Amino acid sequence: MDGAQGSRAKNGEVDLFVIGGGINGCGIARDAAGRGLSVTLAEMGDLAQATSSASTKLFHGGLRYLEYFEFRLVREALVEREVLLRAMPHISWPMRFVLPWHPDMRFDSDTPTSKLLGMVMPWMRGRRPAWLIRLGLFLYDSLGGRKILPGTASLSLDGTPEGAPLQPRFHHAYEYSDCWVEDSRLVVLNARDAEAHGALILTGTKVVSADRHADHWIVTTKDRRGETRQTRARMLVNAAGPWVGEVIKGTIRLNSTEGVRLVRGSHIVTRRLYDHDKCYFFQGTDGRIIFAIPYETDFTLIGTTDAEHDDPSVAPECTPDERDYLLGFANQYFRQQLSADDVVWSYSGVRPLYDDGAQSATAATRDYTLKVDQTGGAPVLNVFGGKITTYRRLAESALQKIAPFFEGLPGPWTRGASLPGGDFPVDGVPALVAALRDAHPFLTERWALRLVRAYGTEAARILSGARIEADLGVSFGATLTEAEVVWLMDHEHARRAADVVWRRSKLGLRMDADQIAALDDWMVARVPHPALPTLAGEPATASGI
């Protein structure tokens, strides 16, 4: 933390107080701190503990949003893909998506495109013809100004690796580009960069009240030890995700008409279902879509659902009905028929969407909405919605809203700025892996790749001085060592085993219950603190796979 900002934050006086340690809160804190504002961020649990670690793990424009005429959102997201790839090539990388086509393809009948097509070409009502898919993919290729990602291509599914796992009724597909991202690591890296620019990041710290005065807020927080503190802030940012509405009504007590719509998205994980490294984009007979994505080398990720979720205090879980829906959807495409026994893990998150009055959860806008309220005193910015792909642009837009309250605030700076560990070329992962193995010959190719994908150029710092594996200290299993855990605790705010094996990594898929319990005991002994609650749907121990 740099001098003036750090001392002000520690003395309980800041320019900006951010509520929420998800991607929107951490992205705004990073941008604001980089412009010279003093910033404190409070997160009641772990960084990315809720929605921001439960996404479909994609930087994508949102091909289906074109059917809703969300052209601005799609264009912004498409442009951002390559900006983000350059800033974080360790945790994000290009991926090709295979969209099988069949004459039975159907629209969601509520989409504007479906309604328009039904009016102009009534004989096509409800159908999704090949020419329309090609048009959508042409727009998808054209709107974003691609420089790194390859464009759309036609693909035969007969006798090809892409067709091998699919049912024989599929003969033709389209292939296009989007990107993978490690969502929870993205949040952590934004928080770390915010700290590097002077922000104070407080995890395990709940905002219990915020009292408004003419030119400032008094924010009262309580940490995991039960200790309270007060911070005086010139402006408040409510980026509480699913709890944004509760903060508006209960914490800062605003009389606001703005509403949030909570939409649950659930995912299932199976053993690896096919041999290639491409993702499938499946279209259902109900007009919805799901993805099947290569996941953590040995698994396949399938999702997502769209279901109303009324209460943010009820932790989201993938229900049996949602699991069966995803299995049934995938079974319309894959030769290998899946059952509940094939599901090795599931997770669910709640999207805090702006309530635009849409008839269904699927149709609700994924665009972000930023509202400043300064009635009765100091300003507050409330953040609704948003996609992980557009988090950086959301933060820039938030700073546009914030700027009038801070004279002389510098302009945008994050475009082109690397996140921690991302200071290497987009195609530089193989070279980093080779260098890491040369310096530490005990590393396997897979182990070195995991470290580079998680930490980028900082992997070398974690392993510094290690000549043999034993130099890394205690081995917790699945290549997780004491040296890595110490890094995560000292640099990335990890406090419990779940923080490490389900958010900073997904090693919980490879560790058993005893290993995770031993890790948790070790971490608690290193920095004693009261136990933190575990969210439902996020196992404190492995699922035994």
Side-chain angles (χ1 to χ4, degrees), residues 440 442-443 447 450 462-487 519 522 526:
H440 309 282
F442 58 86
L443 292 176
W447 186 358
R450 181 184 73 78
I462 296 171
L463 302 183
S464 179
R467 294 173 295 175
I468 58 174
E469 184 175 343
D471 292 336
L472 299 176
V474 178
S475 175
F476 296 103
T479 71
L480 181 67
T481 65
E482 179 179 341
E484 186 175 354
V485 176
V486 167
W487 173 273
L519 170 64
W522 188 91
R526 184 173 186 262

Side-chain angles (χ1 to χ4, degrees), residues 73 125 361 380 469 501:
L73 172 64
R125 189 181 302 275
V380 56
E469 184 175 343
V501 304

Side-chain angles (χ1 to χ4, degrees), residues 236-258:
L236 202 62
V237 173
N238 173 15
W243 294 271
V244 63
E246 287 194 353
V247 169
I248 289 173
K249 295 176 181 177
T251 307
I252 59 181
R253 302 180 296 281
L254 292 185
N255 183 19
S256 173
T257 60
E258 305 297 338

